[in-house]
Amino acid sequence: MDMTRFVNTFGRYLRAKYGEKVHKISVNASFTCPNRDGTKGIGGCTFCNNASFSPDTTNAGDITAQIQSAKEKVSKRTGAGKFIAYFQSYSNTYGSVEDLRRYYDEALSDPDVIGLAVGTRPDCVPDPVLALLKEYQDKGYEVWLELGLQSTFDASLIAVNRGHGLAEYEDAVKRAKSFGLKICTHLIMGLPGEAPEDTLTSFDRVVALGVDAIKVHPLHIVKGTQLARDWKHGRVKEMTMDEYTNVMAEVIRRAPEHLLFHRLTGSGERQYLLSPEWAMKKWDILGMIYRKLEGACEIGNRVSK
């Protein structure tokens, strides 16, 4: 299965640019979030338990030690020799420029780390932070601003206690682009109140703003969240793997040629995931997406003849 037949993958982009395999490694710098510390709200998003997607970095420690440990594990598994430090847990631009510079500099002090991927919220990227990221990019580092949007529907964002709306995201993208930064947007398919097909609308809106890359994964219902409590009371409709892969195949077909896909699905961690169980079957999901793309391609070839 060669997904690059149909998808402009982030891995292929990195290999073409750097001539070798480059892998992202998660870093936890003990950031928090304005939707947790009371600035905008408390409790965070109803679906959020950071331990469910970055368990190895949940207990934050010395950044240098985290990177060294991750490098050893990833190198053995993938053969990668170069790395991007992925500041993943919570909002990784939510701090003073001085503190951010210290964290980012420490990550980049490792000679094998060639760049930064900074995950954050659209309402946490003031211009001084964007200027800081631009500094690193101007020095030749691979820099990605990863904006967690999840949906372009304000009603959905309110329903999951997101703490921001589409307008904040549009403003963040506009300003980040003015600094020449590369932007990857995160979307979640299957949020409460949304049909899987609604992700197509969100995708079209995001692409129209000129982002460089996208990440999509199905809604994960994980332990320790408000969403898990709603699910247990039957208030959350579960999406099927067929529904997810149908929409993802269409997302890929609609994607402009330049758009990179950082992720087509996400499996989470088994000890936290309550539903859907099929989300753990990453390769089954990717295989089903591939077959649907291949089938559509064969039909198109027959019609063109």
Side-chain angles (χ1 to χ4, degrees):
M1 179 179 70
D2 180 13
M3 191 63 82
T4 60
R5 283 184 59 198
F6 306 107
V7 181
N8 192 11
T9 67
F10 188 48
R12 181 173 64 177
Y13 157 84
L14 290 172
R15 184 181 286 276
K17 185 172 182 178
Y18 295 100
E20 62 181 298
K21 190 161 190 174
V22 180
H23 202 285
K24 289 170 72 174
I25 50 178
S26 293
V27 175
N28 187 337
S30 296
F31 287 100
T32 183
C33 170
N35 202 22
R36 285 182 170 270
D37 68 5
T39 302
K40 285 202 165 186
I42 57 174
C45 303
T46 63
F47 55 78
C48 185
N49 179 348
N50 266 258
S52 67
F53 59 80
S54 56
D56 292 339
T57 59
T58 299
N59 298 316
D62 180 83
I63 289 175
T64 300
Q66 287 184 61
I67 289 176
Q68 185 59 41
S69 175
K71 280 172 51 180
E72 292 173 2
K73 294 176 183 177
V74 171
S75 294
K76 290 178 181 178
R77 190 177 75 248
T78 70
K82 298 295 182 183
F83 305 90
I84 293 174
Y86 181 19
F87 285 80
Q88 182 178 18
S89 297
Y90 298 115
S91 302
N92 295 274
T93 56
Y94 189 45
S96 69
V97 170
E98 293 75 20
D99 284 343
L100 297 178
R101 186 187 297 276
R102 177 163 50 86
Y103 295 138
Y104 301 159
D105 280 352
E106 184 175 353
L108 291 169
S109 67
D110 188 300
D112 295 326
V113 174
I114 62 169
L116 302 169
V118 181
T120 191
R121 294 162 54 92
D123 54 352
C124 289
V125 285
D127 283 357
V129 171
L130 297 176
L132 174 63
L133 295 177
K134 177 69 158 50
E135 282 185 35
Y136 291 112
Q137 185 167 276
D138 288 346
K139 292 176 182 177
Y141 291 110
E142 183 75 25
V143 177
W144 283 87
L145 178 64
E146 300 206 16
L147 295 176
L149 174 61
Q150 321 314 352
S151 171
T152 63
F153 296 91
D154 282 342
S156 299
L157 298 177
I158 291 170
V160 297
N161 193 40
R162 185 68 185 162
H164 69 75
L166 178 60
E168 288 91 336
Y169 168 78
E170 292 173 331
D171 174 67
V173 170
K174 180 179 179 180
R175 289 186 296 105
K177 285 175 66 66
S178 74
F179 281 88
L181 294 171
K182 296 187 287 292
I183 305 164
C184 176
T185 296
H186 297 202
L187 295 175
I188 295 177
M189 193 188 306
L191 289 177
E194 286 192 14
E197 292 78 11
D198 289 331
T199 296
L200 293 173
T201 300
S202 289
F203 174 77
D204 289 342
R205 291 170 176 171
V206 164
V207 168
L209 290 172
V211 301
D212 304 278
I214 194 132
K215 277 186 177 180
V216 188
H217 72 75
L219 178 66
H220 292 169
I221 300 168
V222 297
K223 297 175 182 177
T225 63
Q226 178 59 50
L227 187 66
R229 291 185 281 275
D230 292 340
W231 172 77
K232 288 177 181 178
H233 287 91
R235 294 193 290 266
V236 180
K237 182 180 178 182
E238 296 183 21
M239 178 175 50
T240 68
M241 187 165 76
D242 192 52
E243 289 174 321
Y244 182 78
T245 55
N246 278 338
V247 173
M248 278 308 304
E250 179 59 25
V251 162
I252 292 165
R253 285 191 286 266
R254 293 188 184 192
E257 187 174 347
H258 77 275
L259 188 75
L260 293 173
F261 283 83
H262 284 212
R263 184 175 61 201
L264 298 176
T265 187
S267 55
E269 289 295 316
R270 187 173 297 279
Q271 70 256 41
Y272 297 103
L273 184 69
L274 294 172
S275 180
E277 291 186 5
W278 55 261
M280 295 300 304
K281 302 175 182 178
K282 174 184 175 181
W283 295 108
D284 289 349
I285 296 168
L286 294 177
M288 187 176 286
I289 294 171
Y290 182 85
R291 288 190 296 275
K292 288 176 178 180
L293 291 168
E294 190 174 44
C297 184
E298 290 174 354
I299 291 172
N301 288 337
R302 287 198 297 270
V303 170
S304 64
K305 291 177 181 179

